[in-house]
Structures are given as structure tokens and as C-alpha cells.
Amino acid sequence: MTRDDALKQLSHLARERAFGRHVGSHLLIQAGLDALVAGVESPSLAMLAGLLRSEEPEASELFDRVLDELGLLFRPPADPRAAKWAAASWIAGQIADGSLDPATGTHLIWSDIAYDLGYPEELEPLVHCAHRLDHWEESWGVSLERLSRDAVEAARQFLGKHSATEAGD
């Protein structure tokens, strides 16, 4: 793992936690260890990476301290709706860049975001992809790979429209 990969992993976990997803202490400690081995420097990083199983309850606080020291601390928008939109953009970005499986990502948008936002029109293509990927059958005459590519394209289109909307605000 390179230094950049380690920083990306820390940033990813920071966003996962900020958007309300559970991230186990063992993953925070492992990310700290990975970062330390990759040459990332931070006053609290060695303490995080060296936590023992019995010290896991301290991982969350140390992880946040490491993020702060590295300038990676992420806080979603305070407004719950804005936070949901930010999460949708983040997940769509991961689908688009290939770092998140399209079926998993569209399902997260469908189940964790679209419902809470009242199924807005902007998310409909991603929700549609989630339904198709969740319920795919070989008899449809379309491959699962094609549906995955459609989900990636829907994510890219959402990002393009959502970015343009934000720029106009």
C-alpha cells in the first residue's frame, strides 16, 4: 500500500463514519497500521495502530484525532437532507470510479438515501438500477454485466447533473 492509498483509505473510513455507517474498531486500527507502514506521519497514528484488542474502545477517538492531524476530518452538512444528498454524491462517485460495486452502491442509494428523501426524480435512475440488479434473472436476456454498466452510467449522469446544480446554487 502506498502513502496515497493509505490516506485514501483513512478518508474513505472517515466518510463512512460521517454518513452514519458502522465501521468496526478493528478496521480503524488496521487502517492506522496500514498508514503507519505506508509512511504516513501523525502524532497519534502510532497510538492508533498499536491498540490492542482490549483497547479497541479507544480506537474511535484516536482515529478522529489522526484524521484531524492529517487534515482529513470530514463533517457532512448539518442539514439532514443536504447530508443525504452529499452521501448520494459520494456513493455515486464510488460507483462511477469503480471503487464500489454498482449493485452494492445503487442498493445503498435506494435503501439508505432515496427513501429518506422521498424518492426524488434525480435518484430515480439509480433506484431503477438497484431494482434491476437486485432482482435480475437470466431469462431477461440482458447480462448482469450490462446492468452494472448501466448503473455506472447512471451514477456518472447523476454526478454530472448534481455537480451542475450545486455550481448553480
Side-chain angles (χ1 to χ4, degrees):
M1 175 175 289
T2 67
R3 183 180 189 285
D4 286 345
D5 291 338
L7 291 171
K8 191 177 203 176
Q9 179 182 30
L10 292 170
S11 182
H12 175 82
L13 292 174
R15 289 184 185 272
E16 288 268 342
R17 294 175 69 227
F19 287 127
R21 310 225 7 108
H22 174 74
V23 178
S25 295
H26 67 289
L27 294 175
L28 302 178
I29 295 167
Q30 184 61 52
L33 183 58
D34 291 344
L36 192 64
V37 170
V40 174
E41 294 181 20
S42 155
S44 302
L45 188 57
M47 291 188 309
L48 173 64
L51 288 178
L52 302 173
R53 189 175 231 12
S54 63
E55 299 170 315
E56 280 187 7
E58 299 171 38
S60 184
E61 183 181 328
L62 276 171
F63 184 78
D64 287 341
R65 195 177 318 157
V66 167
L67 293 175
D68 189 39
E69 292 165 359
L70 295 172
L72 297 175
L73 198 57
F74 174 79
R75 300 221 189 279
D79 175 64
R81 288 188 62 79
K84 288 289 182 182
W85 282 109
S89 292
W90 180 62
I91 292 169
Q94 292 178 82
I95 295 168
D97 74 13
S99 62
L100 181 62
D101 173 67
T104 302
T106 57
H107 184 83
L108 286 170
I109 289 173
W110 169 31
S111 64
D112 293 356
I113 297 168
Y115 174 82
D116 291 340
L117 292 173
Y119 293 103
E121 184 178 323
E122 298 95 323
L123 293 178
E124 193 282 326
L126 291 162
V127 170
H128 178 74
C129 289
H131 283 283
R132 293 196 65 183
L133 286 163
D134 268 2
H135 303 294
W136 176 79
E137 293 181 20
E138 197 169 335
S139 65
W140 290 359
V142 62
S143 71
L144 197 52
E145 291 79 19
R146 176 72 222 170
L147 295 179
S148 292
R149 286 193 305 271
D150 290 347
V152 170
E153 183 56 32
R156 288 181 178 144
Q157 288 180 7
F158 168 77
L159 290 169
K161 290 176 186 174
H162 194 68
S163 296
T165 302
E166 285 179 348
D169 286 347

